[in-house]
Amino acid sequence: GQQLNQSPQSMFIQEGEDVSMNCTSSSIFNTWLWYKQDPGEGPVLLIALYKAGELTSNGRLTAQFGITRKDSFLNISASIPCDVGIYFCAGRDTGTASKLTFGTGTRLQVTL
Amino acid sequence: GAVVSQHPSWVICKSGTSVKIECRSLDFQATTMFWYRQFPKQSLMLMATSNEGSKATYEQGVEKDKFLINHASLTLSTLTVTSAHPEDSSFYICSARVGQRREQYFGPGTRLTVT
């Protein structure tokens, strides 16, 4: 099946640094979602975006729905050790029975 | 709210046997649930969409006779891996669609190991 491209694939950062990651698609989506997955667990929804250009925050996390509707960005400010995990973007097209297409994932590791 | 549980959290079975995984919505009703499979260091791949009271819709390449899905109530969907083989070993995760905006909330996953 189709997957969305996420970059970077992985990143090592120091505690306190800001983090940016993005997700791109060849298709247009009407909804963009960002999830975080810890090892051995299911993904947890972080932020949902419903409108092109929308900028939404959830604590230290900020995500944007790209104007072209083919991309999205997630920023994490002042990273902490608990931010470690894999971040997945997911796009949803209302024409596909609400199915999600997931990104390839960005693995984040935070060093003290 | 929007809590999804799975049982078991992990299972080891012998090749050729069948394994049933349950997915429950604990505090809401879900007419639609989804089953995903995730191999190590890979993303989630949708296997099928489970609809309460009707047949599941399988993604291309997923064998419906091997991965049996039953969504008999508004809070329970089950995935049965029949005649399991080692290559079926994976992390199986379900999700349920919630609310007016139909967001998907995920269960904690079930790790299946076939020996």
Side-chain angles (χ1 to χ4, degrees), chain A residues 1 3 33 35 37 40-43 45 48 50 88 92 97-100 102-104 107, chain B residues 34 36 38 41-46 49 59 91 93 97 101-108:
Chain A
Q3 280 192 336
L33 304 159
Y35 289 88
Q37 186 178 29
E41 298 184 15
L45 181 63
Y50 304 103
F88 289 102
R92 186 178 74 197
S98 300
K99 292 194 297 186
L100 295 181
F102 274 84
T104 48
R107 183 180 298 271
Chain B
F34 301 86
Y36 294 81
Q38 185 179 32
K41 297 187 177 181
Q42 294 188 21
S43 187
L44 284 76
M45 295 301 293
L46 180 65
T49 302
E59 294 300 298
F91 194 50
I93 314 173
R97 210 169 58 183
R101 287 187 158 175
R102 300 183 171 186
E103 300 317 334
Q104 286 189 33
Y105 286 82
F106 286 81

Side-chain angles (χ1 to χ4, degrees), chain B residues 34-104:
Chain B
F34 301 86
W35 286 97
Y36 294 81
R37 181 167 51 183
Q38 185 179 32
F39 292 107
K41 297 187 177 181
Q42 294 188 21
S43 187
L44 284 76
M45 295 301 293
L46 180 65
M47 298 175 67
T49 302
S50 171
N51 300 296
E52 187 269 335
S54 64
K55 291 182 179 180
T57 303
Y58 290 82
E59 294 300 298
Q60 190 173 7
V62 178
E63 300 175 57
K64 62 179 181 180
D65 294 330
K66 180 169 183 61
F67 298 99
L68 301 179
I69 292 173
N70 186 300
H71 194 156
S73 79
L74 288 172
T75 60
L76 174 64
S77 175
T78 61
L79 168 69
T80 301
V81 183
T82 62
S83 187
H85 289 108
E87 56 264 32
D88 297 325
S89 298
S90 187
F91 194 50
Y92 292 87
I93 314 173
C94 72
S95 71
R97 210 169 58 183
V98 181
Q100 189 175 10
R101 287 187 158 175
R102 300 183 171 186
E103 300 317 334
Q104 286 189 33

